[in-house]
Amino acid sequence: MTQIKTIQDTEEEIIDEFSLFDSWDEKYEYIIDMGKKLKPLEDEYKKEGNKIKGCQSTVWMVSEFKDGKVFYRAESDAVIVKGLVSMLIRVLSGHTPKEILDAKLEFIDKIGMKQHLAQTRSNGLLAMVKQMKLDASVYSAQQITKN
Amino acid sequence: MHTTSLHIAFDVEQIRRHFPILNRLVKEKPLVYFDNAATSQKPIEVIEALSNYYKFYNANIHRGIHSLAEEATAAYEATRDTVQQFINAAHREEIIFTRGVTESINLVAYTWARTNLKAGDEIIITGMEHHSNIVPWQMIAEITGAKLKVIPVDDNGELIMEEFHKLLNEKTKLVSVVHASNSLGTINPVKEIIDASHKAGAMVMLDGAQSTVHLDIDVQELDCDFFAISSHKVYGPTGIGVLYGKKALLEAMPPFMGGGEMIKEVTFEKTTWNELPYKFEAGTPNIADTVAFKAAIDFLNKIGKKQIRHHEDELLQYATAELEAINGLRMIGKAKHKVSVASFIVEGVHPQDLGILLDNQGVAVRTGHHCTQPLMNRFGISGTVRASFAMYNTKDEIDVMIMALKKAIKLLR
């Protein structure tokens, strides 16, 4: 059922959820809540090779390619980043490499979180998006060579 | 009781009126600016000096014979005189304009250290250096074969001076030390370091990035060989700073960069260097910011460092007491002598999360390793939250930060 949902659909869904909030406090409260609810990554995955290092916080991410779709799991040592990461996973995970590579992820701007993608924040979120897309392009290339 | 001094009462509300940026809102809240150790805000006097330069007498300096060039040159050189008095240098040509502390340190590294150090020589720094007082020496050590030695830091964030005295020996050629720590606020016993180093035959460079704005700097009394300043941390513009060096040393040093201004005569066979300070100021300098830097020092002098220090000490003590009362909060840096820097961590909460939520309340603090990763490793932490205070900050603003912090911690835990 959920598989029918496009990346665009999930983005719209998140934008709708955030439209209920009037203040920054409420937005961040919601993100923090999502961060706390993100299923922690097992310690075995929290190794150097899975690290996406920002200037201040660290994100660990793993991906898996199954039935033509990419599935992501991730964690961060900072809760707000974890919440943002959990939204990215919700939007991108379970889609084909092409869909992921084409995703513009405009929801981040629309919910007012664009600053977290700015270079100045250096918190690993921008690097995280890049890594998610990079993984997708690697799977996409593998698919082509297999065919 | 009558006093004979022309003491003008320190009025923080009056001072705030000089800083236009303090009127702005951040996330619909009045700005509380506690990131002064990164850069201070600028008084209107500095902003106007900068714009007046471009409006009325912008010209290239030293060479022109027209009126604008003369005015611009006079203003540029007036800053040199002001800086000379500000740090009590013996000669005006001991004041070299650079882009800031980083360039000043690199200048000494690539000229003095590169020509004077050899394999086996030792450079001593401290465990609380900013990366800008670590990396240039590592690069020079790589080139010359010199070795880098580090004075360790104790749990309070003070230098372990016995270890320094043990490190110092006949191989020590340079001791480069941060005067006041940007991460902890610690004011280091630089006089003791300078005297001991000189006895051992070593030169001393002080990183004055944090100290210059708070402490009275007298380079002759300190007897340091080099002293580095960044204008933007002293209420002045970005992109301009100072290297002070003792005249004899500067004269013996080769130039840093080649170009215009720094030469006496150029032929394709041989070029001779200009005299001090111009030997080290190649190319058209940052005239506008240099001119406006004078306005910053004049402003600081008018208010008076002593009064400012008193005000900032009060803020630091108040903030420290309020912060320590928060459950699970630990101050990082408890030195006896500190500039107005309050660095802390909160158990179970990432500094970055606190920084983001404080920003939501209009409070600007710095979070992270503050470009002092070895120091953070020493304390076994990845970073801190740092609130640093300037002359225009108030106790009310600290109350706003404490409220915002409590709210954030509740949300994050």
Side-chain angles (χ1 to χ4, degrees):
Chain A
M1 276 273 284
T2 47
Q3 287 306 308
I4 307 161
K5 234 188 265 173
T6 65
I7 285 178
Q8 192 83 38
D9 290 340
T10 316
E11 287 197 49
E12 293 295 339
E13 211 174 79
I14 292 173
I15 294 164
D16 279 351
E17 287 164 15
F18 272 80
S19 69
L20 301 172
F21 306 131
D22 298 322
S23 69
W24 288 101
D25 283 355
E26 288 173 312
K27 284 184 187 180
Y28 276 101
E29 228 169 289
Y30 187 57
I31 293 169
I32 289 163
D33 199 43
M34 280 191 285
K36 284 179 179 167
K37 281 180 185 150
L38 185 70
K39 192 174 167 238
L41 210 54
E42 292 77 13
D43 282 345
E44 57 183 291
Y45 294 119
K46 286 190 190 171
K47 55 184 181 191
E48 206 52 41
N50 294 330
K51 231 179 193 180
I52 304 169
K53 194 127 179 60
C55 188
Q56 299 197 13
S57 53
T58 302
V59 175
W60 295 270
M61 191 196 76
V62 290
S63 68
E64 194 186 359
F65 194 46
K66 223 164 56 186
D67 305 327
K69 294 185 175 92
V70 189
F71 295 88
Y72 299 98
R73 289 185 56 209
E75 204 187 321
S76 172
D77 53 353
V79 181
I80 294 174
V81 173
K82 210 151 58 165
L84 296 164
V85 160
S86 115
M87 280 194 286
L88 283 171
I89 292 176
R90 183 173 151 199
V91 169
L92 294 179
S93 202
H95 290 278
T96 67
K98 187 179 181 326
E99 287 166 341
I100 292 164
L101 289 168
D102 289 345
K104 292 199 179 68
L105 301 174
E106 281 164 343
F107 79 100
I108 297 169
D109 188 10
K110 289 197 173 137
I111 62 173
M113 294 296 144
K114 200 182 170 186
Q115 58 170 309
H116 296 290
L117 282 177
Q119 297 289 354
T120 51
R121 286 281 173 175
S122 342
N123 60 11
L125 194 74
L126 186 65
M128 162 97 185
V129 173
K130 278 189 190 151
Q131 191 60 49
M132 288 174 107
K133 293 213 171 196
L134 192 66
D135 283 14
S137 68
V138 169
Y139 293 132
S140 167
Q142 283 172 0
Q143 228 175 356
I144 292 162
T145 43
K146 254 189 220 165
N147 294 340
Chain B
M1 267 246 311
H2 289 278
T3 58
T4 48
S5 72
L6 288 167
H7 183 81
I8 303 158
F10 185 89
D11 180 351
V12 70
E13 284 312 317
Q14 200 66 38
I15 283 168
R16 288 178 71 83
R17 280 188 212 128
H18 289 261
F19 293 84
I21 207 167
L22 298 177
N23 294 321
R24 69 159 284 180
L25 301 178
V26 168
K27 304 259 167 99
E28 296 107 43
K29 308 261 176 24
L31 166 68
V32 172
Y33 187 78
F34 284 164
D35 197 15
N36 295 288
T39 195
S40 55
Q41 297 302 345
K42 319 304 171 200
I44 191 70
E45 287 82 349
V46 169
I47 299 166
E48 278 175 356
L50 196 54
S51 87
N52 284 342
Y53 168 76
Y54 284 121
K55 275 189 215 156
F56 302 116
Y57 56 101
N58 170 51
N60 209 334
I61 53 169
H62 293 142
R63 295 283 171 273
I65 54 152
H66 54 78
S67 298
L68 294 191
E70 271 174 24
E71 285 174 34
T73 304
Y76 180 83
E77 291 301 331
T79 301
R80 204 184 306 274
D81 295 328
T82 301
V83 172
Q84 184 199 342
Q85 288 157 20
F86 188 56
I87 63 171
N88 195 30
H91 310 279
R92 71 185 307 276
E93 59 270 32
E94 292 178 326
I95 307 300
I96 312 290
F97 290 125
T98 64
R99 280 185 298 151
V101 167
T102 299
E103 188 178 299
S104 297
I105 294 173
N106 276 278
L107 194 160
V108 174
Y110 282 92
T111 59
W112 185 85
R114 200 170 171 172
T115 43
N116 285 288
L117 296 187
K118 55 181 193 309
D121 285 346
E122 292 177 1
I123 304 167
I124 297 178
I125 59 172
T126 81
M128 61 174 87
E129 297 307 324
H130 189 281
H131 296 162
S132 63
N133 200 23
I134 302 173
V135 183
W137 306 122
Q138 286 175 328
M139 292 161 85
I140 287 306
E142 186 96 352
I143 296 169
T144 59
K147 276 204 197 92
L148 205 57
K149 300 279 170 175
V150 183
I151 312 170
V153 175
D154 71 12
D155 290 342
N156 286 330
E158 291 181 329
L159 293 178
I160 305 175
M161 289 301 282
E162 305 91 80
E163 294 299 321
F164 163 65
H165 291 289
K166 276 189 221 159
L167 283 174
L168 200 60
N169 64 64
E170 71 283 357
K171 284 182 276 180
T172 312
K173 291 289 166 343
L174 176 74
V175 179
S176 190
V177 171
V178 67
H179 194 175
S181 156
N182 70 312
S183 305
L184 310 174
T186 311
I187 300 170
N188 286 317
V190 290
K191 189 63 190 149
E192 183 184 339
I193 291 173
I194 292 163
D195 291 347
S197 302
H198 283 168
K199 263 188 208 136
M203 299 292 157
V204 181
M205 167 144 211
L206 294 184
D207 167 356
Q210 299 297 330
S211 62
T212 308
V213 70
H214 303 290
L215 310 177
D216 296 319
I217 307 296
D218 184 332
V219 290
Q220 293 187 73
E221 195 191 307
L222 283 168
D223 197 27
C224 56
D225 300 287
F226 300 105
F227 192 93
I229 301 171
S230 283
S231 141
H232 74 95
K233 293 188 202 281
V234 192
Y235 306 102
T238 55
I240 182 69
V242 169
L243 170 68
Y244 158 82
K246 282 183 185 163
K247 196 175 168 185
L249 286 170
L250 293 175
E251 274 172 346
M253 279 152 59
F256 181 33
M257 288 189 283
E261 285 268 343
M262 53 74 73
I263 47 85
K264 195 178 271 167
E265 205 174 357
V266 177
T267 65
F268 285 117
E269 289 70 40
K270 188 175 169 51
T271 292
T272 47
W273 314 134
N274 201 342
E275 58 201 19
L276 289 176
Y278 311 110
K279 182 171 88 177
F280 292 108
E281 294 179 3
T284 296
N286 184 352
I287 306 164
D289 292 314
T290 307
V291 167
F293 183 29
K294 181 180 188 304
I297 298 173
D298 289 344
F299 180 78
L300 191 55
N301 284 338
K302 203 172 80 185
I303 312 285
K305 272 188 182 175
K306 197 178 165 195
Q307 294 202 88
I308 297 169
R309 213 155 42 229
H310 180 73
H311 175 69
E312 289 170 345
D313 280 348
E314 264 183 17
L315 292 178
L316 180 65
Q317 277 172 32
Y318 181 67
T320 305
E322 291 290 307
L323 287 167
E324 280 178 333
I326 293 175
N327 193 16
L329 187 146
R330 180 155 76 94
M331 298 301 293
I332 302 293
K334 294 179 171 177
K336 255 185 249 105
H337 303 290
K338 278 177 73 172
V339 293
S340 50
V341 167
S343 226
F344 57 91
I345 55 170
V346 178
E347 207 181 304
V349 179
H350 197 284
Q352 189 189 321
D353 288 326
L354 287 174
I356 293 170
L357 295 182
L358 286 178
D359 178 61
N360 267 354
Q361 307 297 318
V363 182
V365 293
R366 185 138 297 236
T367 61
H369 54 61
H370 317 297
C371 293
T372 55
Q373 276 177 340
L375 181 65
M376 296 296 113
N377 293 339
R378 152 70 183 80
F379 282 97
I381 54 180
S382 65
T384 72
V385 180
R386 182 189 72 187
S388 48
F389 312 116
M391 62 162 93
Y392 42 69
N393 291 128
T394 66
K395 282 187 180 174
D396 288 346
E397 289 182 312
I398 291 171
D399 290 339
V400 172
M401 176 181 75
I402 297 292
M403 284 260 288
L405 252 179
K406 286 179 177 164
K407 197 169 148 181
I409 293 167
K410 209 168 139 193
L411 246 148
L412 291 165
R413 268 194 184 141

